[in-house]
Amino acid sequence: AMAAAMRRTLTLARAAIPGIPLKRVGSYLRTTSVPRFNRMVSTSFKTKKVEKVEEVKVHSWSPESRRTGVIGRKLGMMQLWDDWGVMHLVTVVEIDSEVLRIKDRLTPTGHAQMQLGGFEKNPRNTTKPLLGEFTKLGTTPKRKIVEFKVTPDALLPVGLKIDARHFFPGQFVDIQGTTKGKGFQGVMKRWGFGGQAATHGVSKTHRHLGAAGACQDPGKVWKGKKMPGNMGNKTRTAECLQIFKIDVKRSLLYLKGSVPGNNGGFLKIRDALKRPFHEETPPPFPTYV
């Protein structure tokens, strides 16, 4: 049935394109439709562009102020040495963020919501609904879109790009990402169980769970019982990681310690909530200008 449908389609195409053999109709359609699609996608972003970004309104920082975070991508880990010759294990994170829009309404706590996008995406690999949204915003498609809650005095103009200078060396940040997925695992790997005996009557249950319930009372398995199941692939936050160094030219952050996720995974980076700034050393507010 599929072959018959393809023959009918090619026959109709041949009738619409006279002078081309039937065997070459498919290649003709591919060579003509792909460049036409590329021109259509490239010209769609020329219709509406952010010609000029508004100036950032600089306000004085206060302990109640809450800045926006940024979008990062984990590149890997490496070793760095400080001035005293002490070696530190650091994670390299690339920063790329652009303000897409600001929601009109405030949250019940009085915070505004800013939507940021980062890391450009090929328009050909973007769905049409998202392609239309990015065209309205006047920017290229983004691979990652996140929202951050900020105080009204920390709002940024639409179209502004944020780089690594949003932070400074020595600052503490919270990193949120998706942990590595391990698939379906048993209790020994997932929860660290010791397993059963290797001998003495144990038959083919050396790595099994064992008893999972209680007696007739309560007559059930309690919720939250540690059992086999999917391991990893969960959203986790690494709190209070210190920034060791900043590379402004390449927009890189060097963070002490490890962050959740694989290399190439996207991260949400914001100021540490449990390590607030001191009034004598405030951060660039609302961002580096």
Side-chain angles (χ1 to χ4, degrees):
M2 294 181 61
M6 292 178 62
R7 284 196 296 269
R8 288 195 298 270
T9 303
L10 291 176
T11 303
L12 294 175
R14 184 184 181 186
I17 311 173
I20 297 179
L22 183 61
K23 296 181 180 180
R24 298 184 180 179
V25 169
S27 61
Y28 174 80
L29 293 176
R30 286 193 298 270
T31 55
T32 55
S33 60
V34 172
R36 188 183 301 114
F37 177 78
N38 292 338
R39 290 194 301 269
M40 179 185 66
V41 172
S42 61
T43 56
S44 63
F45 293 103
K46 297 179 181 179
T47 57
K48 184 179 179 181
K49 282 283 186 179
V50 180
E51 298 179 356
K52 183 179 179 181
V53 180
E54 300 179 2
E55 295 183 359
V56 180
K57 297 180 180 179
V58 180
H59 300 277
S60 59
W61 177 85
S62 64
E64 292 77 18
S65 300
R66 185 172 180 179
R67 303 194 306 163
T68 180
V70 297
I71 303 173
R73 180 169 59 184
K74 181 179 177 180
L75 300 182
M77 298 191 69
M78 62 182 299
Q79 297 175 351
L80 289 179
W81 284 261
D82 56 17
D83 297 337
W84 293 271
V86 180
M87 187 266 291
H88 299 274
L89 291 175
V90 297
T91 303
V92 186
V93 179
E94 181 184 4
I95 303 300
D96 183 15
S97 298
E98 180 181 352
V99 181
L100 297 182
R101 67 177 66 176
I102 300 173
K103 291 191 175 181
D104 299 333
R105 297 183 179 180
L106 299 178
T107 61
T109 57
H111 291 84
Q113 292 177 312
M114 290 179 52
Q115 191 178 78
L116 273 65
F119 300 96
E120 293 186 0
K121 184 179 181 181
N122 190 347
R124 295 181 58 188
N125 298 333
T126 308
T127 59
K128 288 185 178 180
L130 286 179
L131 200 62
E133 289 294 327
F134 285 113
T135 304
K136 293 179 183 178
L137 296 173
T139 182
T140 55
K142 305 298 182 182
R143 296 182 59 187
K144 185 68 174 178
I145 301 175
V146 298
E147 288 186 0
F148 291 98
K149 294 181 180 180
V150 299
T151 51
D153 58 348
L155 289 174
L156 298 174
V158 176
L160 179 69
K161 293 187 177 181
I162 307 173
D163 55 11
R165 291 176 292 184
H166 186 70
F167 305 100
F168 59 89
Q171 178 186 344
F172 292 89
V173 293
D174 293 339
I175 312 293
Q176 185 183 90
T178 304
T179 58
K180 297 180 180 180
K182 306 292 184 179
F184 192 95
Q185 299 297 333
V187 291
M188 292 186 67
K189 179 172 183 177
R190 191 184 184 195
W191 303 111
F193 281 21
Q196 302 183 34
T199 57
H200 296 285
V202 178
S203 301
K204 302 180 181 180
T205 58
H206 308 286
R207 300 179 61 88
H208 283 208
L209 171 66
C215 300
Q216 187 175 359
D217 182 19
K220 65 176 182 180
V221 177
W222 294 101
K223 290 183 178 180
K225 174 64 179 175
K226 296 179 180 179
M227 287 187 172
N230 185 67
M231 181 179 177
N233 195 26
K234 293 179 175 59
T235 301
R236 293 291 181 265
T237 302
E239 299 179 344
C240 301
L241 297 183
Q242 191 175 20
I243 299 178
F244 182 80
K245 187 177 72 169
I246 289 179
D247 189 340
V248 178
K249 186 177 180 180
R250 293 180 289 183
S251 191
L252 299 178
L253 295 181
Y254 297 84
L255 306 171
K256 287 186 179 181
S258 59
V259 301
N262 289 296
N263 293 340
F266 295 108
L267 304 169
K268 290 178 63 176
I269 307 173
R270 63 174 184 267
D271 300 332
L273 298 178
K274 297 181 180 179
R275 300 293 290 268
F277 297 103
H278 197 271
E279 295 184 0
E280 297 180 357
T281 57
F285 190 79
T287 185
Y288 179 83
V289 181

